[in-house]
């Protein structure tokens, strides 16, 4: 996995080999950089804790000349419901695929229809790019290709990169019952042709868990040279029991071309992300992702690429 001496701050970490998908469409390129810190859930006992961590992040960013604006931000967390689907033997996750459904709530009621996200997440960027995640549906969908930075699994002071190649669309665009069975999902996503299918393997909620996500916007970091990143913080809880699973602090920059990522700005981003691991060490939970925690809820760890 790529480490800090060859990642952010050196734009070569986004360079892909030229290529095309089977229909001649050029390979998707990374257009998002998202930095994530998984946090221990025990501190999140009230909404004001979100801003407490946000202040820690702001002070750390200031040390590196990174601006921060929270103009217009109010303490009003958003509630979202998150579900993961897989076979009983975690066939998707064990092969670096993730199938997620998410719906946002406003004033206690769903705001719009559920969103389906199908992703291939892998530590090698070229491998992630080479896989065509486009769905075979008649309706609209969106492709998002992200570089995701996380701390090393066993220590602070550096980072590793995962590359998440996603297809997103509203549930109404999905063929009826397409993700009830693995075979139906494979017809919608040819990327799954590599999996060994055994008849109509059923897909079900991973570990029977429905996750309640409480998400709070924090503001925007300005790394200079036109590079900005929106930041938020969240806690994941198991719905029903309200058992907390984890927190997460994240900030994400979007770009169209690599030359938009000025090297000095990316260097500040890298320094900030590493420094925050130390200043917020008591908050930090190493060695997992939010998705990984859901898959491990019943003590049956899958063999993931995360």
């Amino acid at each position: 996995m790529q480490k800090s001496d060859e990642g952010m701050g050196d734009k070569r970490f986004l360079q892909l080999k030229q290529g095309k998908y089977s229909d001649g469409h050029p390979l998707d390129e990374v257009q998002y950089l998202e930095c994530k810190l998984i946090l221990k859930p025990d501190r999140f006992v009230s909404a004001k804790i979100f801003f407490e961590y946000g202040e820690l992040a702001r002070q750390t960013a200031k040390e590196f000349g990174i601006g921060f604006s929270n103009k217009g931000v109010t303490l009003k967390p958003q509630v979202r419901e998150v579900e993961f689907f897989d076979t009983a033997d975690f066939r998707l996750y064990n092969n670096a695929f993730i199938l997620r459904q998410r719906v946002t709530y406003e004033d206690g009621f769903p705001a719009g229809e559920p969103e389906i996200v199908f992703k291939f997440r892998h530590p090698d960027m070229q491998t992630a790019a080479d896989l065509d995640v486009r769905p075979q549906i008649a309706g609209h969908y969106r492709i998002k290709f992200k570089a995701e930075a996380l701390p090393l699994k066993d220590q602070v002071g550096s980072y590793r990169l995962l590359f998440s190649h996603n297809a997103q669309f509203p549930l109404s665009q999905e063929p009826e019952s397409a993700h009830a069975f693995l075979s139906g999902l494979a017809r919608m996503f040819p990327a799954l042709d590599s999996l060994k299918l055994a008849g109509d393997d059923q897909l079900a909620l991973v570990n029977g868990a429905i996750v309640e996500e409480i998400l709070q916007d924090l503001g925007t970091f300005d790394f200079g040279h036109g590079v900005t990143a929106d930041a938020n913080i969240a806690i994941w809880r198991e719905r029903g029991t309200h058992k907390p699973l984890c927190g997460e602090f994240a900030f994400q920059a979007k770009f169209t071309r690599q030359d938009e990522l000025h090297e000095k700005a990316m260097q500040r981003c890298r320094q900030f992300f590493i420094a925050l691991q130390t200043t917020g060490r008591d908050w930090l939970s190493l060695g997992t992702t939010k998705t990984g925690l859901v898959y491990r809820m019943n003590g049956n760890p899958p063999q993931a690429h995360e």
Side-chain angles (χ1 to χ4, degrees):
M1 293 186 182
Q2 289 165 294
K3 304 288 183 66
S4 61
D5 58 349
E6 55 184 65
M8 292 182 290
D10 182 348
K11 290 184 292 186
R12 289 176 296 177
F13 85 105
L14 295 179
Q15 290 181 354
L16 284 172
K17 296 178 182 177
Q18 296 296 315
K20 297 180 180 180
Y21 299 118
S22 59
D23 64 351
H25 189 282
L27 297 185
D28 295 324
E29 295 186 358
V30 174
Q31 292 188 323
Y32 297 85
L33 172 62
E34 185 172 25
C35 299
K36 300 180 176 183
L37 294 175
I38 302 300
L39 308 175
K40 298 173 184 176
D42 53 298
R43 287 179 178 259
F44 293 90
V45 295
S46 67
K48 67 179 182 181
I49 303 301
F50 293 140
F51 281 176
E52 182 180 323
Y53 188 87
E55 178 60 17
L56 173 67
R58 185 195 68 80
Q59 291 178 1
T60 304
K62 187 178 180 180
E63 297 175 9
F64 299 98
I66 298 167
F68 179 74
S69 173
N70 59 2
K71 184 178 180 180
V73 173
T74 59
L75 187 58
K76 188 178 180 181
Q78 185 181 63
V79 178
R80 302 195 294 192
E81 184 180 275
V82 184
E83 301 171 325
F84 296 93
F85 294 89
D86 208 333
T87 60
D89 60 355
F90 300 154
R91 194 90 50 82
L92 294 178
Y93 195 61
N94 287 341
N95 287 278
F97 293 102
I98 296 170
L99 180 65
R100 185 189 75 200
Q101 179 174 295
R102 184 170 64 192
V103 62
T104 299
Y105 284 80
E106 289 183 4
D107 301 322
F109 292 88
E113 61 180 298
E115 177 192 59
I116 300 296
V117 176
F118 173 78
K119 65 176 65 179
F120 180 71
R121 186 154 66 186
H122 199 277
D124 181 72
M125 180 178 60
Q126 191 70 48
T127 300
D130 287 343
L131 195 76
D132 186 356
V133 298
R134 290 176 294 173
Q136 298 297 307
I137 60 176
H140 172 74
Y141 61 86
R142 181 170 55 156
I143 299 297
K144 294 180 74 173
F145 194 4
K146 295 183 179 183
E148 299 180 346
L150 300 96
L152 299 181
K153 292 185 177 182
D154 57 355
Q155 61 183 312
V156 299
S158 189
Y159 63 87
R160 58 195 177 101
L161 292 172
L162 294 175
F163 294 88
S164 184
H165 199 182
N166 305 352
Q168 303 176 199
F169 52 89
L171 180 61
S172 62
Q173 303 300 316
E174 178 185 281
E176 186 175 356
S177 301
H179 74 258
F181 297 97
L182 187 57
S183 57
L185 191 70
R187 285 192 293 272
M188 185 165 57
F189 291 104
L192 294 174
D193 285 346
S194 60
L195 301 188
K196 296 180 180 179
L197 305 180
D200 281 336
D201 292 320
Q202 288 190 335
L203 296 170
L205 273 176
V206 172
N207 287 326
I210 298 177
V211 174
E212 180 183 59
E213 179 185 53
I214 312 299
L215 178 72
Q216 172 65 47
D217 290 334
L218 294 178
T220 302
F221 290 102
D222 187 343
F223 297 98
H225 302 280
V227 179
T228 62
D230 294 332
N232 58 49
I233 189 168
I235 182 170
W236 275 30
R237 303 187 298 221
E238 185 180 1
R239 201 182 74 176
T241 65
H242 296 289
K243 177 183 177 182
L245 300 174
C246 70
E248 183 189 67
F249 169 74
F251 57 95
Q252 177 177 271
K254 185 180 186 303
F255 51 93
T256 302
R257 305 180 310 276
Q258 287 187 37
D259 58 15
E260 296 176 20
L261 297 177
H262 193 279
E263 290 186 8
K264 288 185 178 180
M266 296 306 296
Q267 183 74 0
R268 291 191 190 103
C269 179
R270 180 184 70 85
Q271 291 171 335
F272 167 54
F273 186 60
I274 291 174
L276 189 56
Q277 296 175 33
T278 301
T279 57
R281 182 66 181 88
D282 291 342
W283 295 74
L284 201 58
S285 179
L286 296 175
T288 189
T289 64
K290 301 192 305 296
T291 304
L293 284 169
V294 174
Y295 269 86
R296 288 168 172 79
M297 286 176 62
N298 289 340
N300 184 22
Q303 302 299 316
H305 290 75
E306 299 186 343

